Structure formats: C-alpha cells, structure tokens
Amino acid sequence: ADPNVARIENTEQFSFVLNQSYEAARTDRWIDQKFKNDLIWFVDSFTTLPKDYKTIIRSEQLKGPIMVESNLRVEKAGFDHLLKTSDDNVFSHIARVCGSKRTDQWVDEAKRNNLLHRLQVGHDLCVKNIGQNYLAFKADYLQNALKPSLVKFKNFLTKYYKRADSLADLTALFGEENTFINGQLKATTTQNSQFVTSFSAGQFRGLGVIDNYKRLVGSRQPASIVSE
C-alpha cells in the first residue's frame, strides 16, 4: 500500500456531507428571470421544502436577496450500501445521471467491459469516465484491506455529483434510509423583512470524515476534505 495515499483506517467513523447553496441578490426584475428559475429548480430538486415554495418564489412573495442551503449527510451505512450494490446497479445510476440512451448495455457486464475499452463520446463518455472512477475506487478498496482511499472516493463522487439533477440521484447511491437532509432558506418578503425557514429529513447519527462541496450561483465546486 502507498503510505502517501490518505485512507480511512476505520470505516466505522466514515461519514461525509455534501453541502450545496444557491444565492441570488435580485429575483424581481425581468433580467433576474434566469436566477429565479434556477432558484426554483434548486428548491425543487435539492431541498425537502414543501412544493408551495416554488409558487411563493415565482410569485415574488419571497424575493432576493435569497439564499438556499442544503446539506446531504451520509454515514457508514450509506457507504456500506454503495459497496454492497452490484456494479450493474451502480452503472444504471451513472447512466441515468449522464443521460445515456444505452443503459441496457452499461448494466450488462460483458457489454459494459466492451464499452469501457472503446472510444466513447457525449453521454457515454460521461458514463465511461465516472464508471472508471468508481471501478478504480472499488478495486483499490478491495486491494487495500478494505481501507478506502479518500482521493479515489472523492474523484468518483465529485464527477457523479456534478451530473446529479436532484437529491434522488444522490440518495440512490447510498440508500434513502442512510441519508439525512437538512438546510435552510433565507429570503426577503414583499414588506422587505427577512424570512427564514429550515427543513430536514431522515436521521443522522455519526460524524467522521466530512467532505464538503459548494454549489454557488449555478456552479458546483468541490472543497477540501476535513477530518473531525
């Protein structure tokens, strides 16, 4: 084993957080329409806020400055869930987030191996790249006494995460029962007073290795891994 590779010695402590946020200074002018639409999409796709909030933001009952933050926490049970999932099923999730029309081939081991060794473009190149990151992480995990490499795990998850369109794409990997979602929305009312509400779903029981990702004004950028 390479002593320079950061590994988790005890997966009992394994947990991480995907942190996403979206901010918009103004949402009430016609030139702000894109920001408003992105914000509504974010509320719908990456929070567990009631669907009423889409209408409330669209009708400007709540307006900018507005900030929505969503945290998806995954603990050891979620990590175990991923590792116990068959490669066929993992590739079905990858093919979905990549928008591939060849899912039936990606979930067949023989056909998948053929696709992985051939030149791919577009959506299937996306599947190949993310899939290779996943297979590299899993092979390394099995070859190194079941001590996962943080870098290889992050390489896989970062690429997958950037293609995810909703919380469902993320919970599919780790099992909905193994994920905890919480966050808050801060906005301005029509009377120009501040409005704040929080949301949560699931139960989180552990804090170990924390992996933060930021989503800022439509872009998702991985931040550093922090051990607690």
Side-chain angles (χ1 to χ4, degrees), residues 137-165:
F137 153 70
K138 191 169 183 181
D140 176 85
Y141 171 77
L142 295 172
Q143 290 164 12
N144 287 278
L146 308 185
K147 294 177 181 177
S149 158
L150 288 177
V151 171
K152 289 185 184 297
F153 180 69
K154 184 177 178 180
N155 285 345
F156 158 62
L157 190 57
T158 300
K159 286 187 178 178
Y160 180 92
Y161 169 71
K162 285 182 175 180
R163 301 293 304 206
D165 279 331

Side-chain angles (χ1 to χ4, degrees), residues 193-208:
S193 57
Q194 190 176 61
F195 173 88
V196 181
T197 188
S198 299
F199 59 89
S200 65
Q203 184 177 5
F204 187 65
R205 294 178 292 276
L207 281 176

Side-chain angles (χ1 to χ4, degrees), residues 18-150:
L18 295 176
N19 172 267
Q20 309 171 85
S21 61
Y22 195 99
E23 297 182 57
R26 296 281 298 267
T27 56
D28 56 332
R29 301 167 301 181
W30 69 268
I31 57 171
D32 304 319
Q33 192 64 42
K34 180 188 183 302
F35 298 116
K36 184 196 286 189
N37 289 340
D38 285 351
L39 190 65
I40 291 168
W41 169 80
F42 186 80
V43 167
D44 187 37
S45 301
F46 285 99
T47 79
T48 57
L49 286 165
K51 299 305 179 186
D52 300 1
Y53 277 89
K54 291 164 51 180
T55 305
I56 290 169
I57 295 169
R58 187 173 286 114
S59 63
E60 292 170 16
Q61 294 174 60
L62 290 177
K63 59 182 182 176
I66 187 166
M67 188 277 290
V68 188
E69 184 176 45
S70 179
N71 304 298
L72 176 77
R73 299 171 182 266
V74 180
E75 55 188 14
K76 181 182 182 294
F79 184 67
D80 289 342
H81 178 90
L82 172 64
L83 289 168
K84 289 174 184 173
T85 302
S86 70
D87 290 349
D88 291 353
N89 281 340
V90 172
F91 268 87
S92 74
H93 299 319
I94 296 171
R96 185 180 67 251
V97 300
C98 286
S100 172
K101 292 183 169 61
R102 300 162 79 178
T103 300
D104 58 329
Q105 296 179 52
W106 284 112
V107 300
D108 179 292
E109 185 176 5
K111 292 177 181 176
R112 176 170 66 247
N113 288 336
N114 186 33
L115 290 172
L116 287 170
H117 287 93
R118 284 167 48 195
L119 180 68
Q120 302 297 338
V121 296
H123 299 300
D124 291 306
L125 177 60
C126 168
V127 181
K128 179 179 177 179
N129 286 341
I130 298 177
Q132 286 178 328
N133 278 124
Y134 166 72
L135 293 173
F137 153 70
K138 191 169 183 181
D140 176 85
Y141 171 77
L142 295 172
Q143 290 164 12
N144 287 278
L146 308 185
K147 294 177 181 177
S149 158
L150 288 177

